[in-house]
C-alpha cells in the first residue's frame, strides 16, 4: 500500500490537472459557440450564391465552364483539412484515417496531398505520400482570404492540367457530439441536381453576358467550398475538444474520489496503530 | 420615394441589411444606380464605391472588391468577397497594402501573374483609401 505522503502528492497533481482540463473545456465551449456563429453567418452568402447560379443555369449550360469538365482522374489532389492542435479525442485521427481510405482507393494513380492544419501535415509527413503544399497556422486567425488563397492555387493547377481531380477531406460539424469525416469533390464541380422549383421564370438582364458572369461566379463557388470546410473543421475541433476535456475532468474526479478514500483508510489505520502503542505503553507503566 | 430591401453579404458575415431608397454600385460595365421598381438585373461588380441612400435619410459609403449584384422584385442582393463601411476601413492597412503593391509593380523581375495580382491589390487598396476619404 502506498504511503500517506505518496497519496497526498498524487491527489495534489491530479486536482491540478483537473483544474486545467476544466478550464480548457470552458474555453473550448466559448470558442465553439463563436465558430458555430461563423457557420451561421456564412449561410446567407451560400444561399445567394446558389440563387445566382440557379438563375444563370436557366439561360446557359454551366458545363460550358472548364471547371465543370470531367476528365479521367490520373492525377488526384487530396486536400486534408485538420486542426492545428490536439487534445480533442479522435477528431484529427478520424480525418486522417478517411484520407488513408481515399489513398487506398486511388492506389496506382498519381496522388498528392495538400494539407491544411498542422495535425494532418504531421501525420502524413513521414508516410509514403507526397505533400505538395502545406498551409499551416490557418486556424489561428480564420479569414476568408486564406480559403480563397488555397482554392485559387488548386483552381489554377486544375486549369493548367497539372491535376485532374481535387477532393476535399474534412470533418462536418453535425452537432456538438457528432463530427463526421467526409470527402467532397471540389473540382471538377459536380453539376447540381436541377430541383423542380416552381419559381416563375424571371427574365433577368445579364451584364456582361451570362457566360462571362458564370466565369466569375464559378471560382467564387470553389473558394466558398474551401471556406466552408475550414469553418466546419474549426467548429468541430472545439466541439471535440470540449467533449474530450469534459471526459478528462470527469475521470479526474473519479480518480480523486478513489484516492481520497484510500488516503483516509491509510490515515485511519495509522492513527489506530499509534493509539494501540500509547495504550500498550500506558498499561506497561501502570 | 419608395423604399426597397438591400442586403450585402460576404462569406464571413452579412454586412448590411435594411430598407433603402437608392443604391449606386460599381458594375463591371460601369457604375449603375437602382431605384425601387428596377427591372430584374444580374451583374458582376468591379472594385469600387457602393453608395447607399437609406430610407431614414442617411447615406452610407462602402468599399467593395468585386462580386455580384442581383436586382429582383424582392429587393437587391449584393454578394461581395469583401465589403467595408467607409468609416470602418483600416486606413493603415490599406496604406501599407498600397505600398507593397507598388513595390511589387516596380520590381520588373516578377512574372506576369504576380504583376496582375499586384495590380488588383493596388486597385483594392486605392479604393479603400478613396472610400474612407483619405485621398
Amino acid at each position: 500500500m502506498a504511503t500517506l505522503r505518496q497519496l497526498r502528492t498524487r491527489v495534489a497533481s491530479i486536482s491540478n490537472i483537473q483544474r486545467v482540463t476544466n478550464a480548457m473545456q470552458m474555453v473550448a465551449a466559448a470558442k465553439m459557440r463563436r465558430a458555430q456563429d461563423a457557420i451561421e453567418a456564412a449561410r446567407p452568402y451560400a444561399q445567394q450564391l446558389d440563387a445566382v447560379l440557379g438563375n444563370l443555369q436557366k439561360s446557359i449550360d454551366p458545363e460550358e465552364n472548364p471547371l465543370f469538365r470531367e476528365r479521367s482522374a490520373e492525377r488526384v489532389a487530396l486536400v486534408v483539412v485538420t486542426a492545428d492542435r490536439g487534445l480533442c479525442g479522435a477528431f484529427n485521427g478520424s480525418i486522417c484515417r478517411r484520407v488513408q481510405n481515399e489513398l487506398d482507393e486511388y492506389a496506382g494513380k498519381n496522388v498528392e496531398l495538400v494539407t491544411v492544419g498542422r495535425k494532418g501535415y504531421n501525420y502524413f509527413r513521414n508516410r509514403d505520400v507526397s505533400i505538395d503544399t502545406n498551409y499551416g497556422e490557418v486556424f489561428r486567425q480564420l479569414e476568408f482570404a486564406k480559403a480563397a488563397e488555397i482554392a485559387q492555387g488548386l483552381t489554377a493547377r486544375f486549369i493548367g492540367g497539372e491535376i485532374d481531380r481535387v477532393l476535399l477531406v474534412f470533418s462536418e460539424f453535425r452537432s456538438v457530439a457528432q463530427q463526421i469525416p467526409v470527402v467532397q469533390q471540389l473540382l471538377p464541380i459536380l453539376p447540381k441536381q436541377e430541383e423542380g422549383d416552381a419559381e416563375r421564370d424571371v427574365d433577368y438582364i445579364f451584364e456582361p453576358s451570362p457566360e462571362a458572369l458564370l466565369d466569375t461566379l464559378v471560382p467564387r463557388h470553389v473558394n466558398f467550398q474551401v471556406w466552408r470546410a475550414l469553418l466546419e473543421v474549426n467548429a468541430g475541433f472545439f466541439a471535440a475538444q470540449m467533449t474530450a476535456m469534459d471526459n478528462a475532468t470527469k475521470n479526474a474526479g473519479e480518480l480523486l474520489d478513489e484516492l481520497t478514500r484510500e488516503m483516509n483508510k491509510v490515515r485511519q489505520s495509522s492513527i489506530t496503530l499509534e493509539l494501540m502503542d500509547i495504550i500498550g505503553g500506558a498499561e506497561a507503566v501502570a | 420615394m419608395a423604399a426597397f430591401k438591400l442586403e450585402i453579404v460576404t462569406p464571413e458575415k452579412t454586412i448590411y441589411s435594411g430598407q433603402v431608397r437608392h443604391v449606386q454600385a460599381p458594375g463591371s460595365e460601369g457604375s449603375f444606380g437602382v431605384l425601387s421598381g428596377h427591372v430584374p438585373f444580374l451583374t458582376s461588380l468591379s472594385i469600387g464605391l457602393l453608395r447607399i441612400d437609406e430610407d431614414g435619410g442617411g447615406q452610407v459609403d462602402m468599399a467593395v472588391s468585386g462580386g455580384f449584384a442581383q436586382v429582383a422584385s424582392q429587393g437587391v442582393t449584393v454578394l461581395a468577397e469583401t465589403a467595408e463601411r467607409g468609416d470602418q476601413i483600416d486606413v493603415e492597412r490599406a496604406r501599407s497594402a498600397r505600398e507593397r503593391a507598388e513595390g511589387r509593380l516596380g520590381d520588373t523581375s516578377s512574372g506576369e501573374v504576380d504583376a496582375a495580382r499586384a495590380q488588383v491589390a493596388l486597385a483594392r487598396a486605392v479604393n479603400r483609401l478613396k472610400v474612407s476619404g483619405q485621398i
Side-chain angles (χ1 to χ4, degrees):
Chain A
M1 208 194 261
T3 66
L4 199 55
R5 186 196 293 263
Q6 277 172 331
L7 287 170
R8 278 214 185 104
T9 22
R10 278 198 74 187
V11 167
S13 78
I14 288 171
S15 66
N16 273 340
I17 291 170
Q18 190 186 32
R19 223 169 289 152
V20 172
T21 56
N22 195 25
M24 279 180 82
Q25 187 221 327
M26 285 191 285
V27 172
K31 288 195 173 167
M32 183 195 73
R33 230 161 290 140
R34 221 173 309 147
Q36 264 179 302
D37 290 346
I39 293 181
E40 280 309 313
R43 212 156 276 166
Y45 185 83
Q47 282 163 355
Q48 292 302 331
L49 208 59
D50 275 352
V52 173
L53 194 60
N55 278 329
L56 282 171
Q57 257 171 353
K58 283 171 193 156
S59 346
I60 47 163
D61 183 8
E63 266 142 88
E64 297 285 307
N65 192 284
L67 293 182
F68 281 92
R69 229 159 276 156
E70 187 82 35
R71 35 185 201 233
S72 84
E74 290 305 317
R75 286 149 306 173
V76 181
L78 284 172
V79 186
V80 185
V81 189
T82 58
D84 281 331
R85 287 174 297 150
L87 290 178
C88 53
F91 181 75
N92 291 316
S94 63
I95 298 174
C96 291
R97 261 199 308 283
R98 195 75 181 78
V99 173
Q100 201 68 56
N101 284 349
E102 280 318 292
L103 287 176
D104 296 343
E105 182 117 341
Y106 285 101
K109 297 281 166 66
N110 210 333
V111 185
E112 61 181 57
L113 296 185
V114 173
T115 52
V116 182
R118 218 175 40 217
K119 284 290 166 183
Y121 176 68
N122 286 345
Y123 183 92
F124 287 106
R125 190 173 47 177
N126 298 320
R127 274 162 220 254
D128 186 25
V129 55
S130 74
I131 298 180
D132 178 71
T133 329
N134 170 46
Y135 297 92
E137 304 292 335
V138 171
F139 291 100
R140 189 178 293 177
Q141 205 189 357
L142 200 53
E143 47 188 16
F144 182 74
K146 293 254 181 60
E149 185 196 327
I150 297 167
Q152 276 158 11
L154 292 164
T155 309
R157 293 179 60 215
F158 180 82
I159 289 182
E162 277 178 61
I163 39 179
D164 303 317
R165 181 174 290 180
V166 181
L167 300 175
L168 265 178
V169 189
F170 63 102
S171 189
E172 235 175 30
F173 180 85
R174 295 273 167 83
S175 74
V176 177
Q178 217 184 10
Q179 298 91 38
I180 297 175
V182 289
V183 181
Q184 189 194 336
Q185 182 165 325
L186 185 68
L187 290 169
I189 300 167
L190 299 170
K192 258 256 202 58
Q193 245 71 49
E194 197 59 61
E195 288 156 34
D197 59 45
E199 194 193 317
R200 56 202 150 67
D201 276 71
V202 184
D203 263 331
Y204 276 91
I205 300 173
F206 294 109
E207 199 181 281
S209 64
E211 289 80 10
L213 277 176
L214 189 69
D215 287 347
T216 45
L217 181 89
V218 167
R220 278 164 217 273
H221 173 79
V222 177
N223 291 355
F224 186 79
Q225 295 309 314
V226 176
W227 175 238
R228 190 178 89 90
L230 295 185
L231 289 177
E232 297 272 346
V233 167
N234 194 39
F237 166 72
F238 286 120
Q241 183 166 66
M242 191 179 83
T243 317
M245 288 302 113
D246 187 40
N247 284 339
T249 308
K250 266 190 215 133
N251 289 343
E254 277 170 31
L255 212 53
L256 276 181
D257 282 350
E258 237 167 75
L259 283 174
T260 314
R261 213 169 299 133
E262 192 165 326
M263 202 165 71
N264 287 344
K265 234 185 269 169
V266 173
R267 194 169 54 108
Q268 197 186 9
S269 69
S270 79
I271 291 172
T272 317
L273 214 69
E274 268 171 43
L275 270 178
M276 299 281 270
D277 273 355
I278 294 171
I279 293 167
E283 268 170 7
V285 173
Chain B
M1 224 187 318
F4 57 95
K5 191 172 165 58
L6 171 70
E7 225 170 39
I8 302 177
V9 294
T10 70
E12 289 182 8
K13 62 180 181 204
T14 302
I15 301 285
Y16 186 92
S17 175
Q19 292 290 323
V20 303
R21 287 187 212 160
H22 179 248
V23 185
Q24 191 198 330
S28 54
E29 312 274 278
S31 183
F32 63 93
V34 179
L35 288 165
S36 166
H38 198 286
V39 291
F41 176 53
L42 186 60
T43 181
S44 53
L45 298 177
S46 63
I47 298 166
L49 163 74
L50 188 128
R51 179 162 282 171
I52 305 164
D53 287 307
E54 291 181 304
D55 196 26
Q59 193 175 61
V60 179
D61 281 356
M62 291 217 183
V64 295
S65 48
F68 296 88
Q70 180 170 268
V71 183
S73 51
Q74 308 94 304
V76 178
T77 319
V78 175
L79 281 160
E81 299 239 306
T82 66
E84 289 136 22
R85 291 176 74 111
D87 47 9
Q88 285 165 10
I89 288 173
D90 187 342
V91 176
E92 277 314 304
R93 192 173 159 181
R95 273 220 185 92
S96 65
R98 178 173 68 172
E99 271 161 31
R100 236 179 304 133
E102 279 169 348
R104 243 178 280 153
L105 284 174
D107 181 7
T108 46
S109 62
S110 57
E112 228 172 88
V113 181
D114 285 343
R117 254 192 223 158
Q119 280 286 3
V120 177
L122 180 63
R124 272 201 302 258
V126 169
N127 177 48
R128 285 203 172 100
L129 290 173
K130 264 190 198 154
V131 173
S132 62
Q134 294 294 315
I135 43 175

